[in-house]
Amino acid sequence: MDHKNTRDLIQAHQSIRKFKDTEVSENIVTNLVESARWAPTSHHVQAYTIIRVRDREKRNAISEVAANQKYVRESPLFLVFVADWHKHVITSEKMNADYQLEETENVLVGAVDVALAAENVLLTARSYGLGGVMIGGVRNDLHRVADVLELPKHTFPVMGLCLGYPDQDPGQKPRFPKPMILHEDRYEADRYHEGLDEYERVTSEYYDKRTNGKKTDGWGANMVNYLGNPRRQHVTTFLKDQGFTLK
């Protein structure tokens, strides 16, 4: 294994939202799914399903849900990652066994399984020279997405993933520095005040440069806006409708 190439691939991440008009070969798609299959999974439950969306009407509908992001419509390959306990229900029923899927823990396990599989897919895609962007906007209207994709109970969409050959080079968005990520033996909260001030300056400069001065807010200002309003309040209702009562 070439550890340097793997490390460089991971550390060169950037979100790609504009793609060349070039199809992704079926051989690559097969290998993307293989990488998802071998992602870590809690208790071997494999609580996820991947739906490849080709139908134009379905793509358009999901794009509308995801704030009309055009790359959902236009990317050569679009996948939706679904947390999926439906197959476990089928297994339990086949074996005449009870099942307990209402707990919040199962929502977390499904979401984590999805995230691990999706990251494996994205990294594998990038090893082929593809680029992509995760689409959390599928959660803007979970009932509609579930209807479009004909999802059964005990499932819920977590994210979409647009993939294709990049037609842009947007650069990397600054991340938190190591001292704000790695703590020793305890949560070292006292280090954050100075670190956040510096990070605000760095991210403000990044947005200023990237947008030619149209946007100058740093990370903190963006987070204040993000956290200052209720977000996707329907999610709890949807999960309960799907059989997760969040005990």
Side-chain angles (χ1 to χ4, degrees):
M1 179 183 293
D2 191 330
H3 295 286
K4 180 179 184 298
N5 285 348
T6 302
R7 182 183 67 243
D8 290 348
L9 184 72
I10 292 170
Q11 296 179 9
H13 169 76
Q14 56 181 333
S15 293
I16 300 298
R17 296 176 172 86
K18 186 178 180 181
F19 305 97
K20 295 178 180 177
D21 187 20
T22 304
E23 291 297 314
V24 178
S25 74
E26 288 304 308
N27 177 64
I28 291 177
V29 173
T30 296
N31 277 288
L32 298 182
V33 176
E34 281 299 294
S35 291
R37 289 180 62 237
W38 290 102
T41 174
S42 178
H43 291 275
H44 201 214
V45 295
Q46 303 170 81
Y48 67 90
T49 288
I50 305 169
I51 300 178
R52 179 181 185 178
V53 185
R54 287 171 147 169
D55 183 271
R56 282 294 139 195
E57 290 187 7
K58 292 178 183 287
R59 283 268 204 125
N60 290 338
I62 296 172
S63 175
E64 289 176 5
V65 168
N68 288 310
Q69 297 176 101
K70 66 178 183 178
Y71 26 96
V72 173
R73 299 190 302 271
E74 297 174 356
S75 61
L77 179 62
F78 180 64
L79 308 173
V80 176
F81 289 80
V82 177
D84 179 9
W85 291 97
H86 180 66
K87 58 175 73 82
H88 305 78
V89 170
I90 294 174
T91 297
S92 296
E93 291 174 346
K94 282 179 175 290
M95 296 184 176
N96 296 314
D98 293 330
Y99 53 87
Q100 300 293 325
L101 290 176
E102 296 89 353
E103 289 82 1
T104 303
E105 170 67 5
N106 290 319
V107 173
L108 292 175
V109 168
V112 171
D113 267 15
V114 162
L116 293 170
E119 180 68 3
N120 268 19
V121 168
L122 178 58
L123 287 171
T124 302
R126 292 183 54 232
S127 77
Y128 283 104
L130 300 172
V133 62
M134 302 288 192
I135 306 295
V138 299
R139 300 191 302 277
N140 288 345
D141 188 341
L142 287 166
H143 286 93
R144 186 176 181 194
V145 173
D147 183 59
V148 167
L149 299 179
E150 302 176 42
L151 298 184
K153 288 180 71 71
H154 302 109
T155 68
F156 57 95
V158 178
M159 69 186 74
L161 176 57
C162 298
L163 291 170
Y165 292 95
D167 196 24
Q168 63 174 170
D169 184 11
Q172 288 187 289
K173 192 177 295 184
R175 296 300 204 252
F176 284 134
K178 179 183 173 183
M180 295 181 68
I181 297 296
L182 180 64
H183 297 202
E184 295 288 344
D185 294 326
R186 67 179 181 87
Y187 191 97
E188 300 176 83
D190 53 335
R191 69 172 60 183
Y192 277 116
H193 289 285
E194 182 178 347
L196 286 170
D197 289 342
E198 174 61 15
Y199 190 60
E200 189 73 0
R201 183 191 66 78
V202 170
T203 51
S204 177
E205 289 182 356
Y206 163 81
Y207 283 116
D208 184 32
K209 181 178 179 180
R210 177 172 172 174
T211 65
N212 293 317
K214 294 179 181 179
K215 179 179 180 180
T216 59
D217 286 343
W219 178 86
N222 286 318
M223 290 302 101
V224 166
N225 180 61
Y226 179 88
L227 297 172
N229 299 287
R231 297 182 61 80
R232 297 171 180 153
Q233 292 176 289
H234 70 284
V235 170
T236 302
T237 300
F238 175 81
L239 290 174
K240 290 180 178 179
D241 289 345
Q242 288 296 94
F244 301 96
T245 54
L246 307 182
K247 291 181 180 179

